[in-house]
Amino acid sequence: MSELKGIPVVAEAAHVRSGEKYLTPQGFTAVRDGIKAPRGASRAQGLTPAQGLTPAQGRPPAQRLPPWLRARAPIGAGFHNVRALVREHHLATVCEEAHCPNIGECWNAGTATLMLMGAVCTRACRFCCVDTGNPHGWLDAEEPENAARTVELLKLRYVVLTSVDRDDLADGGAAHYAACVRAIKRRNPQTAVEALTPDFRGVPADVATVVDSGIEVFAQNIETVRRLTHPVRDARAGYEQTLGVLAHAKRRRPAVLTKSSLMLGLGETDEEIEATLADLRAARVDLVTLGQYLRPTLNHLPVQRFVTPGEFDRYRERALALGFLECVSGPLVRSSYRAEQALNRNNAGLENSRLAR
């Protein structure tokens, strides 16, 4: 183990615990799960991803999860097939990097959300467990064709592309993102593409690069209410910045659907939720998703409350009354969850009333 500015750096990523620095295969350092461990914290104090671990192994000390937040274990032939394809083509998925609780359901259904431009983000939002670091301009030149080939092999009619923030790139990675979209469209012309993008620092030209690439849906997540934007999100992100990105995307290409997402359970009030939904509609956002925030590691923000299935139904009704085309709302909903069903006008097939039983 070497040191960088007095901080131990683990050379083999397989042995890295949450909050530790490690050396990536590309030669730059990153922090596992995005948030550094508090000074003096021991490896035995639970600095590992929380998903699937016992309390002794690292589950954050919080209330017992309510029954409606229990997801199925990621097993099955479909799951293993998607994982093999992702590994073969050296792709990252937000399903894995963000420890999504729906990975079993989605991968068994043959769908996955591809995460472009690597698995290391230049930002460190306190809700997110994607690794953070400075890739120093690194990009995989083969990623556009690899992504297109994976979409073809999975026979996807709808694919969600997301990415890490890449503040180390002059355009935030917009040109690379657009190249991936175009490659997918060339090989899979009938596949609809949803781009769940970073904010590109709010630069209109970079937003336009992605909006003009041939996508059907442009998404940028506002994540939380105005009051909680900081410290929930990285200081380089912003409530108004996200609204501006979404508004510009809609002005640029009115036919492209725009979409955003809110995590609930971070301490927001009902009034703040409604105000955020109203702000999104004022920016002409078409689709919105609402889901429960779950603390990924001890280093991340704690859950303030578990929103009930009935409350999610109530928030959905309010969003629809404000004029959204659809609001997919439920405890395990994530921004790309059942994205291809977003216009079915049935909460993407979710029945929250059953979850509460």
Side-chain angles (χ1 to χ4, degrees):
M1 182 181 294
S2 60
E3 290 197 357
L4 180 69
K5 297 182 180 179
I7 302 173
V9 177
V10 180
E12 297 182 28
H15 303 299
V16 184
R17 298 296 185 94
S18 181
E20 289 184 341
K21 279 195 174 184
Y22 68 95
L23 190 66
T24 70
Q26 294 80 31
F28 57 87
T29 59
V31 176
R32 175 66 81 220
D33 295 333
I35 304 294
K36 288 186 286 188
R39 187 177 297 276
S42 72
R43 291 168 68 89
Q45 284 181 300
L47 303 180
T48 55
Q51 178 144 343
L53 301 180
T54 66
Q57 291 173 307
R59 187 181 297 281
Q63 308 104 301
R64 184 183 298 274
L65 290 179
W68 58 80
L69 284 171
R70 295 171 187 167
R72 293 182 180 179
I75 58 175
F79 172 82
H80 292 294
N81 179 51
V82 172
R83 185 168 65 176
L85 287 171
V86 167
R87 299 289 186 275
E88 178 184 353
H89 293 287
H90 308 290
L91 297 170
T93 69
V94 76
C95 320
E96 293 178 292
E97 301 301 332
H99 307 318
C100 181
N102 303 310
I103 188 170
E105 175 189 342
C106 295
W107 284 23
N108 274 308
T111 65
T113 298
L114 301 183
M115 190 164 74
L116 306 177
M117 299 189 284
V120 176
C121 185
T122 52
R123 300 187 185 179
C125 297
R126 294 195 63 208
F127 67 89
C128 180
C129 60
V130 173
D131 297 357
T132 190
N134 183 354
H136 298 289
W138 174 85
L139 283 171
D140 179 2
E142 297 180 357
E143 184 171 54
E145 289 305 320
N146 282 339
R149 177 64 174 157
T150 299
V151 170
E152 180 181 47
L153 290 172
L154 287 171
K155 298 180 173 62
L156 297 181
R157 292 297 180 185
Y158 192 104
V159 63
V160 180
L161 302 178
T162 189
S163 80
V164 291
D165 276 282
R166 290 296 302 269
D167 298 297
D168 59 308
L169 299 171
D171 68 348
H176 183 86
Y177 207 123
C180 291
V181 174
R182 289 192 294 269
I184 289 171
K185 287 290 189 176
R186 280 195 301 270
R187 191 181 281 267
N188 311 274
Q190 303 306 313
T191 298
V193 177
E194 175 176 323
L196 173 56
T197 75
D199 61 23
F200 302 114
R201 298 183 292 271
V203 177
D206 297 333
V207 175
T209 296
V210 176
V211 174
D212 293 345
S213 64
I215 60 175
E216 279 71 28
V217 180
F218 178 89
Q220 219 284 300
N221 289 344
I222 202 158
E223 309 292 10
T224 190
V225 299
R226 186 189 300 270
R227 176 177 59 88
L228 297 176
T229 295
H230 302 125
V232 170
R233 302 176 72 186
D234 186 276
R236 287 162 288 187
Y239 187 89
E240 294 294 342
Q241 184 161 282
T242 290
L243 290 174
V245 165
L246 290 162
H248 180 69
K250 178 55 78 172
R251 286 194 301 270
R252 179 77 179 188
R253 294 274 177 178
V256 170
L257 295 174
T258 50
K259 178 179 175 181
S260 196
S261 181
L262 266 170
M263 300 174 293
L264 305 183
L266 284 161
E268 68 288 329
T269 66
D270 281 6
E271 292 76 16
E272 288 174 318
I273 294 170
E274 179 150 351
T276 303
L277 292 172
D279 287 341
L280 290 170
R281 278 302 299 140
R284 298 176 62 199
V285 172
D286 301 300
L287 307 168
V288 67
T289 67
L290 306 175
Q292 172 72 51
Y293 166 68
L294 295 174
R295 187 185 192 186
T297 79
L298 281 170
N299 303 329
H300 291 77
L301 292 170
V303 175
Q304 297 298 320
R305 67 163 176 147
F306 291 117
V307 182
T308 67
E311 288 176 304
F312 276 110
D313 280 338
R314 179 162 55 83
Y315 295 140
R316 178 174 183 265
E317 291 173 3
R318 185 56 193 149
L320 294 177
L322 287 170
F324 289 97
L325 294 179
E326 177 60 297
C327 171
V328 180
S329 178
L332 290 176
V333 168
R334 298 296 180 265
S335 52
S336 56
Y337 180 59
R338 300 187 183 182
E340 73 283 0
Q341 301 180 43
L343 291 179
N344 290 353
R345 308 298 178 92
N346 66 346
N347 203 24
L350 295 174
E351 295 185 55
N352 289 325
S353 60
R354 290 189 176 185
L355 296 176
R357 295 176 184 174

